[in-house]
Each structure stands twice: as C-alpha cells, then as structure tokens.
Amino acid sequence: MSQHRRRASAQNVRRKRAVAVAAFVGTVGLGVGVGVWAWADDGGPAASAQRSADPREHPAGSASPKPNRTPSRSYPLSQAPRTIPAVRSHTPARGPGWRPAHGERVVVSDADLADEGKLIAGELGLSYAGERNDVRAGDVRLALNDDEGANPESYTMTVRGGRVNISGPADAGVFYGTRTLKQEVHGGGTAPEGVVRDQPAKPRRGFNLDIARKPYTASWIEDRVKELGDLKYNELGLHFSDDQGFRIESTSHPEVVSKDHLTKAQVKRIVDLAADRHITVVPEIDSPGHLGAVIAAHPDLQLRNAQGVPTRGAVDISKDSAATIVDDLLDEYAGLFPGSQWNLGGDEYQALTVADPQASYPQLASAARQAYGADGTVSDLATGWLNDRADTVRAHDRTMRAWNDGFFRRTSVPAAKDLQVAYWTGKEIGARQPLEYLSAGRKVINYNDEFLYYVLGEPQTFVYPTGKRIYEQWNPRVLRGTTAVPARYDGQILGGSFAVWSDIANAQTQDQVAAGIRMPLRATVQKLWDPGKPALTWAEFQKLANRLG
C-alpha cells in the first residue's frame, strides 16, 4: 500500500471514530443528560450493556470474539436535589436519574391520590393513567404506605431504573413529594438518582394576608396559593375584617360588607384550590377590637369612654348585642371555611391600653363586677369575651388561636386552655415574654413582628423584612426580638407565619407586594421545614430561587 493510501486509510478511521463519539454524545444529550461515556473492557454490567453489535467484530459462529474497547456508560454518585425548602435527607446512587418524556405516565396506587397525580402529570407534560399495577419505563408512581404513626407530611421519593416512586403515609406527604419532583425537573431537567426521605420540622407553615385594609383580587390570592403549595406551606390566613373594611360577602349581616369585597363563590374557589394543595385557609374576624367596619353599620355598638368619646374600632363588650353580631358572623363563616384552624384575634382592644381602664370605661367595669364579682376587672371582661367567642367556634370543631396581646395578666378569668398563642409582639402594655406562655404549657405559633411582618408603608418602627435576615438570623424559636427561647420548648412551638399587613394600603400595588414577599416567603419556609443552619449561602439560595422560578 502506498504512503498516500495509508494516510487516507488512517484519516477514514479517525473520521469513523469521530462519528461514533458524536453519536454517543448525542445519545447522552437526548436521553438522560447526566451520563458520562467511558471506555471499558472489563466485561462488567456497564461494559456488557454497551457492547458493540457490529457483525464484523463478532462473526457468525465465532466461539470467542476478540476483546475490544467499546464505550459504556458510567455515572458518578448523584447529588442531593436542589429545592426550596431543601430536602432533609438524600441517599445518592449511580444512575441517569429521571426526566419527563412524551407519552410517559403518572400512575397511582390509590384513588385518593388522583388529585395529586393529575396535578403533577399536567405540570410535567405526562399522561395521567389512574390506578395501575403494571410497570412501564418512565413511570411516576404515587403510593400510600402503611407507615402507621409516621408524620403525615413525610414522604419517600425513589428514583431508580428510569422510574420515580413517591410514597407517604398520607396524601399530604405524597403531594410534597410531587413538589420536590417538580422543582427538580424545572430547576435542572432531571431528578437525580437515589432516595429522598423528607418531612417538615414544624406542622404549621403559614402566610397571613390582610385583605381587610387592602382588597386583593381573587386571582392574585389564587396565584399566592399556587406559590405557597409549591413551597410546601400549609396555611393561608385571611384577616378580612378590620376598621377599614369587611371584605367577604355575608348573608347574616350584609350591611357590614364593604363595596369592594370577595363573593362567597370566589372564596370557595380559593378554599378549594388551597385544599387541593393541602393548604388550610385560616379565617380571622378580629374582636373585640378592629371591628370598625361592623361599627360603621351599627354605631350603637361602639365603645365610648366616660366622657362619651368613641374608641376607634372597639365594640362595647358590656352589650349583649355586640356579642350576638360577632357570633352570627362566626357561625356563618364556619360553613365557608371548613378547615380545622381559626384565628379569634383578640389583640389591641383599646380599652386596655389606657392607664386605668376601670375609671375610663365605667360601663365595662360595672359589667365585669356583675359577671365576676366585686373584684372583676375590664381585663376579666375581655378575657371572658374571648372565651365566649371560643365557645362559638369550638362548636364547629376548630382549633383556635389568638394574638398574644389578647391574653391578659392578673385576671381572675383564665383564657380557655385550648387557645394557642399567635405570638407577634412584645410592644403592648404589660407585654409578657414568650416564656410566660410556654412555661404555662401553651402551644405557640411564631409571627415575630421583627422578622415576619411586611407592613405596607412601613409605619411606626416597621421596615420591610428581607429574606436574607430571616434566612441567616431567624428560626422558629426566635419568638420575640432576636433571641431564641430554650430548646426544651421547641415542641410547643408549632411553627410560624409570614404576614402581610395593609396599614397604608396604597403604599404598594398587589404586584409590588408579590415581588416584595417573594424571597422572604422562601426564606421563612426553609427555616420552618428545617430550622438548622442551611447548607447554602444566602447568595446560593437566591440563585437557586431564581432558577426554580
């Protein structure tokens, strides 16, 4: 063979090798995206699975084909998925992971998981196949397991063999597993091989929205519900009655409803959407303060001091008619909000912000003595009011909370034992440290106003909270100020809630509010899901949030 022919032959070989490598790389790019081609001739599974089928190398009848170096696929150990909140545990494995492809299925083991299955199928462009026992390549299977006594919000997600299996003891946990899968795919295209075992540290993970002072559209609230669901929040608080407005349609007292309000049909759609995402809507009709919208329709209910001066937002709790109208509304809305949680309010009753309530409001002092004896006080009367409202709501089988400044010191009437404390401030007159509630055995939900209050217009000493400060300095045991309560009380702290208050309603549009709370919401849920120091820096967390959308 001439030198020219030898050079041409060598070039042809190099071209063929280049074509082969390009084909393999293309296969990786179109297939799993995370595989790495390696040369292997050890006869192991990776090598044998990828042996060349070229008949020239394995001629018919050949008893012992020549060993050859053929490409095989090998994988590094997978890395934990990057999600918000971060998963608590991931066992890595070697493999291609999973990514959605046209024609692949979501199947369920139980009809109770149909909603979760249909939702994730639609989000990932898969087909929902219902209850199926057969197994196909690419399947996402949702299943309920028999792990009695396990956290109902826990789940296990296994990515193996080109399939995904998400299981949990209840549908809530399975739903959270689908949120993890959705974030994995949206953030990186592929769910990594291995096993995720995950559950929240705290059972109450909330977002509280003041729609009384600033009306929000139903569609905006629905968008927040979807956002909350993807972030594994499980509560949406709606503060819909205050001095500036009463924002939900009423049939028992239509006269109190503001012109700009949500219809019951709109609220039902919000409640149903929230339930689909395992979010409980927690209603709040705050009383006996913050009832200005009710008083506007019933001025005879307004509290007046000894000089006849009206007290802003406060009803006269010595009048039976004040209790009647509030109970009417509580009974009515119990039918609209079927969730297990309820906020009774109880904060900032102005009769108790003066130096001598008994002298300033003699009618309240008289009613207190009549109800509780010669030593009865206005604080006793206010506590009795809160207990009576609790009786009304308890009849609807709800778990109740009230703001911490609705619990009063030195009263002969104790607050109902089943009332949970929504701790938000230490600024009220006679403020009590969180330890006073915790040492008394109360369960507490963290609304710390120095970290978790987004108050429109930044009135008084409020400033808009930042996600960075929450992420780096707050955890559920930081109930007041910046100091955490002792770890022995951790079990009594049920969780926390980020809150938007609309004190200066026009300070921001609702779209500006959505943008302003975006990172604080993500930081808050990270610390409620796992209160420990996050693995990511704040800059890395921000970058992840931007990638996940």
Side-chain angles (χ1 to χ4, degrees):
M1 182 182 295
S2 71
Q3 184 176 0
H4 174 75
R5 289 173 60 88
R6 284 197 298 270
R7 283 199 301 268
S9 177
Q11 288 170 352
N12 287 338
V13 170
R14 285 196 294 271
R15 278 197 296 269
K16 289 178 180 179
R17 287 178 177 172
V19 169
V21 170
F24 293 141
V25 172
T27 301
V28 173
L30 292 172
V32 297
V34 297
V36 177
W37 286 108
W39 292 99
D41 58 2
D42 59 2
S48 61
Q50 299 295 334
R51 293 294 186 197
S52 170
D54 191 336
R56 292 172 299 179
E57 297 182 1
H58 302 284
S62 173
S64 55
K66 296 179 180 180
N68 68 93
R69 296 174 59 83
T70 58
S72 67
R73 196 175 299 176
S74 64
Y75 300 93
L77 278 175
S78 61
Q79 295 184 354
R82 291 291 181 93
T83 60
I84 297 176
V87 301
R88 304 291 294 277
S89 170
H90 176 254
T91 303
R94 298 183 188 277
W98 177 92
R99 65 168 56 203
H102 180 71
E104 290 178 347
R105 312 180 303 174
V106 175
V107 297
V108 299
S109 67
D110 192 294
D112 288 344
L113 296 174
D115 289 342
E116 289 76 16
K118 292 174 183 176
L119 180 61
I120 191 64
E123 291 169 331
L124 298 185
L126 307 176
S127 64
Y128 176 69
E131 291 182 78
R132 293 287 189 275
N133 292 321
D134 62 315
V135 176
R136 293 185 187 175
D139 275 356
V140 174
R141 178 172 293 277
L142 310 183
L144 296 175
N145 60 37
D146 298 323
D147 194 359
E148 293 184 10
N151 185 333
E153 294 187 306
S154 65
Y155 68 93
T156 299
M157 182 173 75
T158 303
V159 179
R160 182 183 298 141
R163 294 185 295 274
V164 179
N165 187 78
I166 300 172
S167 64
D171 52 356
V174 174
F175 172 73
Y176 296 136
T178 67
R179 300 307 86 193
T180 295
L181 180 63
K182 177 184 177 182
Q183 287 194 30
E184 288 175 331
V185 171
H186 284 190
T190 301
E193 201 88 0
V195 181
V196 169
R197 292 180 176 85
D198 201 15
Q199 65 178 31
K202 294 298 180 183
R204 306 257 61 89
R205 305 177 301 281
F207 170 58
N208 196 77
L209 181 64
D210 171 12
I211 66 172
R213 285 174 278 194
K214 179 182 180 66
Y216 293 80
T217 63
S219 61
W220 189 92
I221 298 172
E222 289 171 0
D223 286 344
R224 300 289 73 70
V225 168
K226 294 173 184 176
E227 180 181 17
L228 295 173
D230 282 351
L231 293 171
K232 301 172 187 168
Y233 278 89
N234 63 4
E235 281 190 358
L236 168 64
L238 287 183
H239 175 91
F240 63 91
S241 169
D242 212 304
D243 298 340
Q244 294 83 352
F246 193 103
R247 302 294 180 182
I248 296 178
E249 174 188 358
S250 171
T251 52
S252 66
H253 289 281
E255 73 280 2
V256 308
V257 179
S258 301
K259 181 178 180 181
D260 192 349
H261 66 272
L262 299 173
T263 66
K264 285 190 174 182
Q266 288 174 316
V267 173
K268 186 177 186 303
R269 283 196 294 272
I270 291 168
V271 169
D272 289 346
L273 178 66
D276 286 345
R277 284 157 171 76
H278 298 274
I279 295 170
T280 298
V281 180
V282 185
E284 180 193 0
I285 301 175
D286 202 349
S287 76
H290 295 283
L291 283 171
V294 172
I295 292 169
H298 297 273
D300 57 304
L301 299 181
Q302 185 157 34
L303 177 66
R304 295 176 181 271
N305 68 11
Q307 290 73 44
V309 178
T311 302
R312 177 178 170 82
V315 295
D316 188 335
I317 58 176
S318 69
K319 295 183 175 181
D320 291 340
S321 53
T324 298
I325 192 170
V326 172
D327 283 346
D328 287 346
L329 293 167
L330 293 174
D331 284 332
E332 176 182 359
Y333 290 110
L336 184 61
F337 297 100
S340 62
Q341 306 293 311
W342 198 285
N343 190 343
L344 293 172
D347 66 313
E348 297 182 326
Y349 188 49
Q350 296 301 307
L352 291 166
T353 64
V354 298
D356 189 348
Q358 280 66 233
S360 296
Y361 298 97
Q363 76 277 33
L364 299 185
S366 175
R369 290 191 297 271
Q370 184 177 353
Y372 304 112
D375 295 327
T377 66
V378 176
S379 292
D380 289 328
L381 195 68
T383 302
W385 167 281
L386 192 64
N387 287 345
D388 288 344
R389 307 294 75 76
D391 289 343
T392 300
V393 173
R394 192 181 296 107
H396 297 285
D397 194 26
R398 303 295 194 268
T399 298
M400 298 161 293
R401 68 191 68 165
W403 301 110
N404 62 287
D405 51 332
F407 294 78
F408 305 108
R409 269 179 169 169
R410 294 182 292 275
T411 60
S412 61
V413 180
K417 291 183 178 181
D418 59 345
L419 283 182
Q420 297 173 354
V421 180
Y423 197 100
W424 71 280
T425 186
K427 301 181 179 72
E428 78 277 12
I429 293 175
R432 285 181 285 173
Q433 294 286 342
L435 288 179
E436 290 197 37
Y437 302 95
L438 293 167
S439 62
R442 294 275 181 190
K443 293 180 179 179
V444 177
I445 301 168
N446 190 328
Y447 289 78
N448 187 329
D449 64 344
E450 292 194 28
F451 284 93
L452 306 178
Y453 264 33
Y454 192 96
V455 185
L456 298 192
E458 299 180 304
Q460 302 174 44
T461 60
F462 289 107
V463 295
Y464 292 129
T466 66
K468 184 176 190 292
R469 187 163 182 257
I470 296 167
Y471 191 77
E472 295 179 345
Q473 299 180 35
W474 180 82
N475 67 63
R477 288 197 290 117
V478 181
L479 286 163
R480 175 176 174 173
T482 60
T483 303
V485 300
R488 65 180 179 274
Y489 293 113
D490 186 65
Q492 289 174 240
I493 300 171
L494 301 179
S497 183
F498 188 85
V500 170
W501 297 102
S502 308
D503 290 40
I504 303 176
N506 295 325
Q508 290 188 341
T509 66
Q510 62 180 19
D511 289 339
Q512 288 173 324
V513 172
I517 65 176
R518 181 176 176 274
M519 288 309 299
L521 278 176
R522 283 152 178 77
T524 300
V525 81
Q526 173 59 46
K527 302 305 280 291
L528 290 169
W529 196 267
D530 185 351
K533 183 179 179 179
L536 302 182
T537 66
W538 173 247
E540 291 168 336
F541 187 79
Q542 279 186 300
K543 185 177 180 180
L544 174 62
N546 292 336
R547 188 167 79 243
L548 295 178

